[in-house]
Amino acid sequence: RGRLWGMRPRLRHLWLGTVPYRDAWELQHRLALARAADEVDDCLLLLEHPPVYTMGRGGDPAHLGAGPAALQALGAECIEVDRGGSVTFHGPGQMVGYPILRLAQAFPISGSPGRGDAVAYVRALEAALIATARHHGVPAERRPGMSGAWVGRNKLAAIGVKLARGVTQHGVALNVTTDLGWFGHVVPCGIDDGGVTSMEREGAAGLTPMALGEDFAEALAEVIGARLEVAGPVLTQMVNGSTAAA
């Protein structure tokens, strides 16, 4: 993005392991407030979730299949959240990435100081997901009119974001070795003319969400023009305090 290495902003990243959805959601909120106050750098949380269906602000209850009770009976939580989009599934074998970025710094809008380009941000997330998949031989691409990363008409990775106080929350979910049967109980992302897929199903065997998280972090840093660094002491303390409290 035309900046010298020494001038590039930091993107701190941290792998959290498996974290319950509500705990990760609360952590995002705390970090977003800290980022808005300039107490932490831009950061990227990388993790997996136990089985959970989440419904975004634009969701249609009809996309929940037989309904929340039936989904809970399968062994998954069912949670209404404050991101965009409809229903999706998170669970074991899926790489989840939550960027906490000051949008106006990463994607400034010319002539509008303090405002960031949310559309450019979503396109950047797509580019990073596609680069991550292609690095392992999976021919991911965009699908016109849809967000995310696709292989043909099958969705490989989903995107759902929120912007508050100029800072991003929520993010991406890339199916690595995910049991795709979970998606069959809902209308994923409210899209009824396509399926879902995973890195494993597309022939990229032997991968883990942790390894793909590192690849995604590198790809995202490249796309947004940041220098990738591990979490510093302030971020680590905030994360460790949150997970310990949970």
Side-chain angles (χ1 to χ4, degrees), residues 35 130 194:
R35 183 68 188 100
I130 289 168

PDB file of all heavy atoms in Angstrom, residues 35 130 194:
ATOM      1  N   ARG A  35      -8.938  -0.871  21.571  1.00  0.00           N
ATOM      2  CA  ARG A  35      -8.385  -0.385  20.301  1.00  0.00           C
ATOM      3  C   ARG A  35      -8.904   1.015  20.002  1.00  0.00           C
ATOM      4  O   ARG A  35      -8.142   1.878  19.532  1.00  0.00           O
ATOM      5  CB  ARG A  35      -8.750  -1.340  19.149  1.00  0.00           C
ATOM      6  CG  ARG A  35      -8.125  -0.918  17.816  1.00  0.00           C
ATOM      7  CD  ARG A  35      -6.624  -1.074  17.868  1.00  0.00           C
ATOM      8  NE  ARG A  35      -5.944  -0.513  16.697  1.00  0.00           N
ATOM      9  CZ  ARG A  35      -5.351   0.683  16.674  1.00  0.00           C
ATOM     10  NH1 ARG A  35      -5.375   1.463  17.747  1.00  0.00           N
ATOM     11  NH2 ARG A  35      -4.733   1.107  15.584  1.00  0.00           N
ATOM     12  N   ILE A 130      -8.792 -16.283   0.175  1.00  0.00           N
ATOM     13  CA  ILE A 130      -8.497 -16.915  -1.113  1.00  0.00           C
ATOM     14  C   ILE A 130      -7.014 -17.242  -1.223  1.00  0.00           C
ATOM     15  O   ILE A 130      -6.630 -18.330  -1.660  1.00  0.00           O
ATOM     16  CB  ILE A 130      -8.978 -16.003  -2.259  1.00  0.00           C
ATOM     17  CG1 ILE A 130     -10.508 -15.990  -2.298  1.00  0.00           C
ATOM     18  CG2 ILE A 130      -8.404 -16.448  -3.597  1.00  0.00           C
ATOM     19  CD1 ILE A 130     -11.101 -14.914  -3.186  1.00  0.00           C
ATOM     20  N   GLY A 194     -26.483 -22.936  -3.146  1.00  0.00           N
ATOM     21  CA  GLY A 194     -25.089 -23.358  -3.091  1.00  0.00           C
ATOM     22  C   GLY A 194     -24.873 -24.240  -1.884  1.00  0.00           C
ATOM     23  O   GLY A 194     -25.714 -24.315  -0.985  1.00  0.00           O
TER      24      GLY A 194
END
